[in-house]
Amino acid sequence: MALPNFITSLDPRRRSDDERGTGVLNVGHALAQLELMQWLLFLSGFLAWSMDAYDFFSVSLTVPYLSEKFGKDTHDITTAITLTLLFRSLGAVLFGVLSDRFGRKWPLVFNLIIVAILELGSGFCNTYPQFLAVRSLFGVGMGGIWGQAAATGLENLPAELRGLFSGILQEGYAFGYLIAAVVDLYLVPGDPHTWRSLFWLGSGLSFGCALFRAVLPESQVFLRAREEAKAKGTLLSETQKTKIFLHEVKTMLKKEWLLCIYAVLLMTGFNFLSHGSQDLYPTYLKTTKGLSNHAATVATIIGNCGAIAGGVAAGWISQRLGRRLTIILFTLSIGAWIPLWILPNSFGALSAGAFFIQFGVQGAWGIIPVHLNELSPPGFRSTFPGVAYQLGNMVSSASAQIEATAGDHLRTTILNRSTGQMEEVPDYGKVQGILIGVVAAFVVFMTLIGDEKRGRHFENAKLAIEDDNGGVKGEKEIEGSIRNSQERDSDKSEDIERGSSNEKEGKANREAQHLEDI
């Protein structure tokens, strides 16, 4: 019996990708061909995503300080994390559309400045409601970063290197977390402002990233569109561009609605996997395992080193084995390391568990930037991946609260080293082990039934303000395209109405004939 296509398509030998030389790739030679500006644009995307992670995990690392400051328990403090994740989808839509509509450069610069201001404000909060409000607004700013960073970092690179660089780019997330953990380890304890200094430093770093992106040029994709418009004498006004962009959005949603739903479901699983293994991890080590704040932070740093290694390795491997097969292999490896994640009590074993779990989690994640960009409808490589990612984030936003609430019901006893007495604490290890195992199975299933377009040369596809021949549409073409679409819709409606009328007429005639026969 023949195997279904979604299984046979995993075999890299059966794939017929439109890539050039990705089957046997000389990485060193390909890297040597990159221009300085390609490196700098990638670096700007990497740093933007790193600062995004730094600012987000500043809350996770300072839960004990925040609980003491605001007089709230862990469950209440994690509400700030939930609100940040909930509002990220709004930022993804807003800044994704701006990026696909006006270019990659200035929307990202503006986005980073907003993040810097809100991160600064987080450090000045004195009440719990103030902190929740600022972190909610921060979620809007944070939500726009990932899609823009991925588009900026990857679309100017050759197709044969995008798998490797996707892994590196995604691990900007782990790199930002690692930087935040180092600052929390060495700066926060000795600073009179304690947790506030972590947020203030993040604000300065985000603003620095904004300045760095501001001095770099626009993406070559958008520069190409402008040059073609000037050469053809069809440079559009802002009103005309907006009109055709909105029309293309409507057309894309009608045509690709199933892909959009699939991408959101896939990202829901991935975000549960990531946040379920990271957001409460420092709290888990300190509360359930009784480690000191210093030891918990060091273990977090070790885990993020595993994340970086996994992301780079998976991105490189995916260029040979394919995106879906690599995701599945790395996700399956997570299950093998769950016991090492939750069973030991020693610092060394727990750190090893953190390294290997994050190697698998962020290894699978490392393929997502390029995978979503390749699946993305042409012209929406900032909006589509960013919105899908952040909608998945919104669905999984309560992961930290789910773990905190479950920990209130699943309890264990540990020896309190300061008092020498046994005490009952939340069993966050068991909670995280169950959650990660279930979510990993869901991610494998969703990846298995999905599609991939490895090696797709999406930089050659038309933009959302171009016609089907790659040229930029003029005003008459725009209006004609929209009018034709409306006429097609009208014709369909008339056909439906005509068919319905004919059906009613035929039914009436049949009934009349039946009565006449009687």
Side-chain angles (χ1 to χ4, degrees):
M1 184 178 67
L3 293 173
N5 181 66
F6 66 83
I7 294 180
T8 58
S9 64
L10 291 173
D11 188 348
R13 296 170 300 179
R14 297 173 63 94
R15 294 194 58 81
S16 57
D17 303 297
D18 64 337
E19 54 197 350
R20 297 177 181 177
T22 54
V24 180
L25 175 64
N26 185 334
V27 176
H29 176 73
L31 291 175
Q33 300 301 310
L34 292 180
E35 298 177 357
L36 176 61
M37 194 53 62
Q38 290 174 298
W39 283 104
L40 293 176
L41 286 171
F42 174 80
L43 180 60
S44 70
F46 176 87
L47 292 177
W49 183 223
S50 297
M51 290 305 98
D52 197 47
Y54 176 105
D55 297 338
F56 175 75
F57 284 110
S58 294
V59 175
S60 298
L61 291 166
T62 55
V63 168
Y65 295 103
L66 296 171
S67 296
E68 181 181 353
K69 169 63 182 175
F70 300 129
K72 302 291 182 178
D73 59 19
T74 299
H75 181 276
D76 291 328
I77 297 302
T78 56
T79 301
I81 298 175
T82 300
L83 290 174
T84 298
L85 295 175
L86 276 173
F87 281 93
R88 280 170 71 168
S89 13
L90 178 59
V93 173
L94 174 62
F95 288 102
V97 169
L98 289 175
S99 180
D100 282 329
R101 169 68 181 77
F102 295 104
R104 310 298 187 217
K105 181 178 179 177
W106 294 113
L108 181 56
V109 171
F110 182 58
N111 198 167
L112 286 167
I113 291 174
I114 289 177
V115 166
I117 293 172
L118 292 170
E119 186 72 354
L120 183 66
S122 299
F124 282 104
C125 292
N126 288 313
T127 66
Y128 180 64
Q130 287 177 354
F131 189 73
L132 291 184
V134 173
R135 296 310 291 181
S136 298
L137 292 174
F138 174 79
V140 178
M142 183 182 183
I145 298 291
W146 187 82
Q148 297 182 88
T152 299
L154 296 178
E155 71 181 6
N156 294 291
L157 295 173
E160 57 268 21
L161 286 176
R162 288 197 191 119
L164 173 63
F165 277 83
S166 172
I168 299 173
L169 175 73
Q170 182 59 32
E171 294 329 304
Y173 188 72
F175 180 72
Y177 191 2
L178 184 126
I179 297 299
V182 171
V183 172
D184 179 62
L185 182 64
Y186 292 107
L187 175 63
V188 171
D191 191 278
H193 299 292
T194 60
W195 62 273
R196 299 181 189 274
S197 59
L198 184 63
F199 289 92
W200 292 339
L201 179 60
S203 174
L205 293 174
S206 295
F207 188 73
C209 288
L211 293 179
F212 179 64
R213 181 65 187 97
V215 301
L216 296 177
E218 179 57 89
S219 166
Q220 290 298 316
V221 174
F222 276 84
L223 292 177
R224 172 179 59 81
R226 285 185 196 155
E227 291 302 318
E228 289 184 357
K230 291 179 181 178
K232 295 181 179 182
T234 55
L235 194 61
L236 304 180
S237 68
E238 295 305 316
T239 301
Q240 293 167 346
K241 288 181 180 179
T242 300
K243 185 184 295 186
I244 190 59
F245 183 82
L246 293 176
H247 173 65
E248 290 294 327
V249 169
K250 178 183 175 182
T251 303
M252 183 272 289
L253 291 175
K254 289 173 64 177
K255 182 180 178 181
E256 303 288 0
W257 62 271
L258 189 60
L259 174 63
C260 294
I261 293 174
Y262 170 77
V264 171
L265 290 175
L266 182 65
M267 287 298 94
T268 297
F270 265 97
N271 280 295
F272 263 116
L273 195 62
S274 175
H275 293 294
S277 64
Q278 290 181 328
D279 291 0
L280 273 189
Y281 182 67
T283 304
Y284 153 58
L285 293 180
K286 288 178 277 190
T287 303
T288 306
K289 297 300 181 180
L291 297 185
S292 66
N293 184 65
H294 182 277
T297 305
V298 172
T300 300
I301 293 172
I302 293 173
N304 280 293
C305 291
I308 294 172
V312 174
W316 182 75
I317 292 171
S318 76
Q319 206 65 42
R320 288 162 168 74
L321 298 185
R323 315 301 187 207
R324 290 164 57 235
L325 180 58
T326 307
I327 289 174
I328 290 172
L329 291 176
F330 273 76
T331 305
L332 288 175
S333 74
I334 297 170
W337 298 110
I338 289 179
L340 188 60
W341 172 270
I342 63 177
L343 294 180
N345 292 309
S346 66
F347 168 78
L350 288 169
S351 298
F355 181 93
F356 288 111
I357 282 286
Q358 293 305 324
F359 184 89
V361 170
Q362 295 303 322
W365 253 109
I367 305 163
I368 287 301
V370 68
H371 186 43
L372 284 186
N373 268 270
E374 289 170 339
L375 289 177
S376 173
F380 299 94
R381 287 190 304 277
S382 181
T383 306
F384 177 83
V387 173
Y389 171 46
Q390 300 303 355
L391 285 176
N393 245 327
M394 184 177 70
V395 178
S396 66
S397 60
S399 56
Q401 283 190 305
I402 291 172
E403 291 180 341
T405 302
D408 293 337
H409 296 85
L410 287 175
R411 313 286 289 184
T412 188
T413 55
I414 65 168
L415 176 65
N416 189 317
R417 295 172 185 175
S418 59
T419 64
Q421 302 293 321
M422 299 298 293
E423 67 174 335
E424 188 180 79
V425 297
D427 193 353
Y428 290 132
K430 185 179 294 183
V431 171
Q432 291 185 352
I434 295 172
L435 180 64
I436 293 171
V438 171
V439 173
F442 175 77
V443 168
V444 168
F445 172 75
M446 291 304 300
T447 306
L448 186 63
I449 65 172
D451 191 15
E452 77 173 87
K453 296 180 180 179
R454 175 166 58 106
R456 183 183 189 185
H457 290 268
F458 48 68
E459 72 280 6
N460 295 328
K462 75 182 185 74
L463 302 177
I465 57 171
E466 292 181 327
D467 62 21
D468 292 333
N469 295 319
V472 181
K473 294 188 176 185
E475 183 174 6
K476 292 183 179 179
E477 292 172 289
I478 293 172
E479 294 177 350
S481 176
I482 296 175
R483 186 167 54 251
N484 290 338
S485 177
Q486 292 172 342
E487 289 174 354
R488 286 194 299 271
D489 293 341
S490 176
D491 290 342
K492 288 180 181 178
S493 299
E494 291 177 1
D495 290 341
I496 293 173
E497 291 176 1
R498 192 180 302 113
S500 177
S501 176
N502 293 338
E503 183 179 350
K504 289 179 180 178
E505 184 179 345
K507 184 177 180 182
N509 291 336
R510 286 193 299 272
E511 290 177 352
Q513 182 65 44
H514 180 64
L515 290 173
E516 187 177 320
D517 293 340
I518 294 174

